[in-house]
Amino acid sequence: MAGGDRREKRRTVRHPRAAKQETDPMAETAVGRFTTGSPIRHVMVMTATGSVGLIAVFAVDLLNLFYISLLGERELAAAVGFAGTVLFLQSSLCIGLSIGAGALVARAIGGGRRAEAERLAGSSLILTALVAAVVGLLTLPLLGPAMDLLGARGATKDLAVGYLTILSPTLPLLGLGMGSSAMLRAQGDARRAMTVTLYAALLTAALNPVLIFGLRLDLTGAAVTVVLSRCLLAAVGWHGVARVHRLFAAPGWTGLMKDARTLAGIAGPAVLTNLATPMAGVYVTTSMARFGDAAVAGAAIVDRMVPVAFGTIFALTGAVGPILAQNLGAGRLDRVRATLQASLALIVVWVLAVWLGLFLARDWVVIAFSAEGVSADLVRLFCTAVAGGFLFVGFLFVGNAAFNNLGFPLLATGFNWGRATLGTMPFVAAGGWLGGAPGVLIGQAAGSVLFGIAAVWVAFRVTGRLGHKQLGRPGGGPAPEAMAVPADVPLSDKAAAALTVQINQP
């Protein structure tokens, strides 16, 4: 009876706390939200909420290009394409920093270390803003040479440089917004993470017609709108992190330097990983520029269709990161594997559905963007065949999310750079030589097949080794050996140490 009373008491103590966690965002301090409940449901909810905000941003970007196309000047559309390559590089830096910061904070939350999570969040946002400010300012004197390298000429070059001159100094605002959104996902607040990007997208959608057409500012109007949306992005994100969740603590100079080293250990490889894709994009844009402004304009339409059509894939890779990291911090490797399986299933279903939709709507898309000649050929080719290749791109993204959040970020770096070099350059060069501009597009997609499959295979191998003993233990709890790793070991080293202990156990 005494034992039964004690068990009953424990149950009654837990219920009020569980109810509080559902309603109070400050209640989840001891455990992470993703360490309990259905992994599939967590993946779907986080992906759905992340998709709304992310696709809204990309949809507005696509809408901006649609507005520009209505002006009837091919140089304007081509300038957006060239400028987009540089913007992709800059935003990839911010995304890489946010991935590293989000992984660190989510692990601390999953391990019940709230004070550490708050300090890491504060340090991460400060460091992200500083790095973004330096990169944004250093970009300005390099814009002209960069456009020359990409193949922009004449009026197209001048328009692209002017557009980027307005946007580059505001890169810290983008970094703060992305970093804040990552902190909110790490906390498990998917709704507020969604509103960070959603509000900025809605502002852009409202202002662009006014500035582009009403005030006749053309591309300059589009740039001013982006600046204002970045201001809102940073403000909404900061409010959610600092005011709502109070997930921000001033680290002090000593804490900032310590956290900078910790962040560099995971964010450094994550940044290198994310820079691989835009660097590959530089090569693709340069290859496409050989076939004229029409080819670049067509590629710009495709580049902006991709994140709208497959924004769920991009959102999923960011959404599963906190789920993986919190369960790693709690020692629940069985749930890590289940999360990977759910993510891959969602990717397969989404890509096949979107591919069918694009195929059926291919002619409407061409008409909507007033595409002609080579531009129209590229849009139809993407909707008909190339879109299917994003199944393997999605596999690669999920693999990279696993590597970044399980303590093996260098694997993500290796796979992404492998795809950006061996998986892009030879295929694009051969495609351009054999098939012109359409061949470049086909070559870019073909190289992702091998690396996507390999990344998923390695991700499951890593997870299988980490969770070998947990999967065979009743209840699936953390291995005592893994929990015994000292708390002051860097997190990536902690995962490696746990892996080494488990592999060497009889």
Side-chain angles (χ1 to χ4, degrees), residues 43-409:
V43 170
M44 294 184 68
V45 170
M46 289 290 286
T47 300
T49 52
S51 296
V52 172
L54 193 62
I55 292 178
V57 171
F58 291 134
V60 169
D61 195 24
L62 182 64
L63 187 62
N64 292 345
L65 185 60
F66 171 71
Y67 291 148
I68 295 298
S69 69
L70 293 179
L71 296 174
E73 297 182 30
R74 181 176 296 173
E75 292 82 4
L76 287 173
V80 171
F82 284 115
T85 302
V86 176
L87 293 174
F88 193 13
L89 278 166
Q90 293 179 338
S91 62
S92 294
L93 169 71
C94 296
I95 292 172
L97 291 170
S98 68
I99 288 173
L104 289 173
V105 173
R107 289 176 186 176
I109 292 174
R113 304 184 300 276
R114 180 70 186 190
E116 178 185 343
E118 293 174 358
R119 193 198 71 242
L120 285 169
S123 296
S124 298
L125 292 178
I126 292 171
L127 292 168
T128 296
L130 290 175
V131 171
V134 171
V135 171
L137 293 176
L138 289 179
T139 301
L140 293 176
L142 301 176
L143 290 177
M147 292 301 105
D148 290 334
L149 177 64
L150 292 174
R153 300 289 182 269
T156 300
K157 173 185 174 180
D158 295 338
L159 288 167
V161 170
Y163 185 70
L164 291 169
T165 299
I166 297 173
L167 294 184
S168 287
T170 66
L171 190 61
L173 295 173
L174 180 64
L176 282 174
M178 288 184 172
S180 298
S181 183
M183 297 302 103
L184 293 171
R185 286 195 301 271
Q187 175 68 39
D189 192 344
R191 183 181 63 82
R192 282 192 174 84
M194 172 189 72
T195 59
V196 172
T197 50
L198 181 60
Y199 289 166
L202 293 175
L203 177 66
T204 304
L207 288 182
N208 252 330
V210 176
L211 296 182
I212 293 176
F213 298 112
L215 299 181
R216 299 181 182 276
L217 294 177
D218 297 344
L219 201 57
T220 300
V224 172
T225 302
V226 173
V227 171
L228 295 176
S229 71
R230 286 182 176 183
C231 292
L232 183 62
L233 184 80
V236 174
W238 172 258
H239 174 76
V241 171
R243 301 298 182 186
V244 176
H245 289 286
R246 296 184 176 89
L247 189 62
F248 182 93
W253 180 254
T254 302
L256 186 65
M257 291 298 99
K258 176 185 176 182
D259 293 340
R261 291 190 294 270
T262 304
L263 182 62
I266 186 169
V271 168
L272 290 176
T273 300
N274 273 332
L275 287 178
T277 299
M279 288 303 294
V282 169
Y283 183 80
V284 172
T285 301
T286 303
S287 301
M288 197 68 77
R290 294 163 42 206
F291 304 102
D293 280 352
V296 176
I301 296 173
V302 171
D303 287 343
R304 278 149 184 80
M305 287 175 59
V306 164
V308 175
F310 299 107
T312 295
I313 293 178
F314 301 128
L316 185 147
T317 57
V320 300
I323 304 174
L324 294 170
Q326 282 195 10
N327 283 289
L328 174 66
R332 294 298 307 272
L333 275 302
D334 55 326
R335 295 177 60 81
V336 169
R337 188 179 184 87
T339 300
L340 287 177
Q341 292 169 340
S343 301
L344 293 174
L346 184 57
I347 282 176
V348 171
V349 172
W350 185 262
V351 170
L352 293 180
V354 170
W355 189 11
L356 176 61
L358 288 172
F359 175 76
L360 296 176
R362 61 192 183 280
D363 292 330
W364 295 346
V365 175
V366 170
I367 294 172
F369 287 93
S370 305
E372 299 176 351
V374 176
S375 296
D377 293 340
L378 292 177
V379 172
R380 286 194 180 93
L381 177 62
F382 171 74
C383 294
T384 303
V386 173
F390 276 84
L391 179 66
F392 304 98
V393 174
F395 288 175
L396 178 63
F397 285 174
V398 169
N400 286 343
F403 301 142
N404 282 325
N405 288 278
L406 297 181
F408 302 92

Side-chain angles (χ1 to χ4, degrees), residues 1 66 109 112 410 486 496 502:
M1 291 294 293
F66 171 71
I109 292 174
L410 290 179
Q502 293 179 40

